Amino acid sequence: MTTNFDGKVALVTGASRGIGRACALKLGALGARVVVNYRTNAGAADDVVAQIKAGGGDAITAQGDVSQAAAAVQVVAAATSAYGRLDILVNNAGITRDGLLATMKEEDFDVIIQQNLKSVFNCSKAAVRQMITQRYGRIVNMTSMAGMIGIAGQTNYSAAKAGIIGFTKAMAKEYGARNIAVNAVAPGLVPTDLTASLPAAVTDGLIRLTAFGRAGTSDEIAEAVVFLASDAASYITGQILAVDGGLT
């Protein structure tokens, strides 16, 4: 697939590592001006920007915990202030805090909903006004196989990611008439910092359930995100694209 993002501005949340980093690098390599959001790891975010610039692209960092509404507004404002528009939003920021339901602390449920689901609400709400003005926008939300089939030990994470699926479908219906597409990617098992805490028995079991018999890569997820963010997907909205090697 040949995709050109020249003239487009993309904001990727949680872009300092893992899948978000892969998305930012790929968008930058294809010509987008990229806003690299991060919460705490400034050094890693700076490295992503440096790599994009080394490839001839343009990028800036934007610090902010987008699970907080005010921070999300500031991050979106940083994008429009720097580049004058915002065409693509990749809602990738998220964390895990796994545990069995019977022993899960209320705080461990609340923080996962806040970081994974509320962040999508915050950033999408902040970005959609600019996209309405432009009469153009592409939003790609990062859900998970956990939101589609549920994962034992992740009731909090599964609930948040399932919420993103409903959010995606509803927002797509609200803003399709404004030429704003809203879709989601549901990755399978991808080795990142986020999945590093999963027990080997769980990851091995998930790999056995895939058709390909292997885990995915961040780059493979980023390819799907880039497709949905591109004009090649101009008649696709409200869809959940599972990129999971056939697991679901």
Side-chain angles (χ1 to χ4, degrees):
M1 180 184 68
T2 57
T3 304
N4 189 306
F5 289 97
D6 288 349
K8 297 290 199 300
V9 177
L11 165 60
V12 184
T13 68
S16 66
R17 59 182 184 171
I19 292 171
R21 178 179 183 276
C23 291
L25 290 174
K26 198 164 290 289
L27 286 163
L30 291 169
R33 293 169 288 176
V34 183
V35 180
V36 177
N37 164 252
Y38 69 97
R39 185 163 58 107
T40 55
N41 198 337
D46 287 338
D47 181 65
V48 175
V49 168
Q51 286 197 47
I52 291 171
K53 289 184 174 180
D58 188 9
I60 60 169
T61 60
Q63 191 279 332
D65 177 359
V66 292
S67 73
Q68 305 300 314
V73 169
Q74 289 174 354
V75 168
V76 169
T80 55
S81 175
Y83 296 121
R85 58 186 296 115
L86 178 60
D87 303 285
I88 298 159
L89 169 63
V90 180
N91 279 312
N92 169 77
I95 63 171
T96 56
R97 196 172 289 186
D98 299 346
L100 296 174
L101 177 61
T103 55
M104 183 179 290
K105 297 176 182 175
E106 185 177 0
E107 175 204 345
D108 290 340
F109 187 89
D110 291 347
V111 73
I112 293 302
I113 298 298
Q114 185 80 22
Q115 291 287 338
N116 291 275
L117 180 56
K118 185 71 180 300
S119 61
V120 173
F121 166 80
N122 289 339
C123 292
S124 299
K125 183 179 179 182
V128 77
R129 290 182 182 274
Q130 177 66 32
M131 292 178 174
I132 288 171
T133 300
Q134 297 166 180
R135 292 196 66 82
Y136 181 92
R138 299 287 181 264
I139 297 176
V140 185
N141 299 322
M142 199 63 63
T143 180
S144 167
M145 62 175 178
M148 299 178 76
I149 63 173
I151 300 293
Q154 290 190 325
T155 51
N156 49 2
Y157 186 74
S158 298
K161 292 299 186 178
I164 290 172
I165 291 173
F167 182 97
T168 298
K169 291 177 178 291
M171 187 179 180
K173 290 181 176 179
E174 287 186 14
Y175 294 103
R178 305 298 184 98
N179 195 30
I180 298 169
V182 189
N183 293 289
V185 170
L189 179 65
V190 176
T192 63
D193 292 349
L194 201 67
T195 59
S197 62
L198 289 173
V202 173
T203 57
D204 291 347
L206 291 172
I207 287 171
R208 281 195 299 272
L209 291 173
T210 67
F212 290 140
R214 66 171 177 86
T217 68
S218 294
D219 282 341
E220 288 173 321
I221 307 305
E223 288 284 2
V225 170
V226 165
F227 167 67
L228 290 173
S230 77
D231 289 336
S234 58
Y235 199 54
I236 300 174
T237 195
Q239 299 304 304
I240 315 303
L241 177 57
V243 187
D244 62 4
L247 191 151
T248 55

